[in-house]
Amino acid sequence: FELTTAAPQGERELAIRREAPDGWDPADPDPYRSHGRAVHAMLARVRTPQDLPEAVAMESTNWGLGPDVTAAIAKQLEALLAKPELAPFFREGLEVHTESTLLNAQGQAVRPDRVVREGDVFRVLDIKTGAPAEHHMDQVRGYTELLHAVEGRPVEGYLLYVSEGLLIPVEA
């Protein structure tokens, strides 16, 4: 049963639901966000593709994921990490920082998902499990500009859309 009230001209109507939608779980009201957080946690544990099975096993337990969901995520991430364009972020010999906090001049903290250093070059990778959006580009630009200002070295920025398997370079 849903109650809708009329609103004055130019204002939005208010809808109140007296029953939960089918399949709604009060313990996990936003399953898409939980899924994304679990995927992020798994990828944060991965330095190289060989680390994936253990990362998936550990985080699946932490997030209470069932075997079917765990297997589906493992298969998706295995295919993703096998892509050659992701090697600059997930291979031996890189200095890797996951979820490291950077402070800007105003004292605000930002946390790129993954920063790798290879020689004098830094690469920032922000991982998204949802749909592409322009503000994601702005977010990565902010990370790269801040890291360049701090380190004074070249910084490349990228977005990884897990669902689509897309790696997108972000121009500064």
Side-chain angles (χ1 to χ4, degrees), residues 10-171:
E11 293 185 22
R12 295 173 53 182
E13 291 183 355
L14 174 64
I16 300 173
R17 226 178 224 271
R18 300 210 185 261
E19 298 173 0
D22 290 337
W24 185 71
D25 179 3
D28 189 8
D30 190 351
Y32 298 109
R33 180 164 285 170
S34 294
H35 178 268
R37 287 182 177 155
V39 168
H40 269 91
M42 290 172 190
L43 288 173
R45 290 184 175 276
V46 175
R47 294 182 67 78
T48 69
Q50 292 75 23
D51 300 330
L52 184 63
E54 184 178 343
V56 169
M58 290 180 77
E59 291 302 332
S60 291
T61 300
N62 291 344
W63 288 88
L65 302 178
D68 292 346
V69 172
T70 298
I73 292 173
K75 183 177 178 181
Q76 179 186 33
L77 295 181
E78 185 178 327
L80 189 67
L81 293 178
K83 292 183 173 218
E85 60 266 29
L86 286 178
F89 299 97
F90 295 94
R91 70 169 173 235
E92 290 291 335
L94 299 174
E95 180 182 323
V96 179
H97 303 274
T98 58
E99 302 287 337
S100 294
T101 302
L102 302 173
L103 296 175
N104 66 17
Q106 293 75 36
Q108 296 169 315
V110 297
R111 295 181 75 185
D113 293 325
R114 189 174 192 92
V115 175
V116 299
R117 179 177 172 197
E118 184 174 32
D120 286 342
V121 177
F122 286 87
R123 291 184 196 91
V124 174
L125 181 67
D126 209 49
I127 300 165
K128 303 295 182 188
T129 55
E134 184 60 35
H135 71 273
H136 297 158
M137 296 275 198
D138 295 335
Q139 184 181 16
V140 172
R141 278 188 205 99
Y143 296 155
T144 59
E145 289 168 5
L146 178 57
L147 193 56
H148 176 72
V150 170
E151 292 293 335
R153 297 180 183 191
V155 180
E156 301 171 0
Y158 297 85
L159 278 163
L160 174 61
Y161 289 99
V162 173
S163 298
E164 294 85 1
L166 291 174
L167 180 68
I168 300 172
V170 177
E171 299 298 323

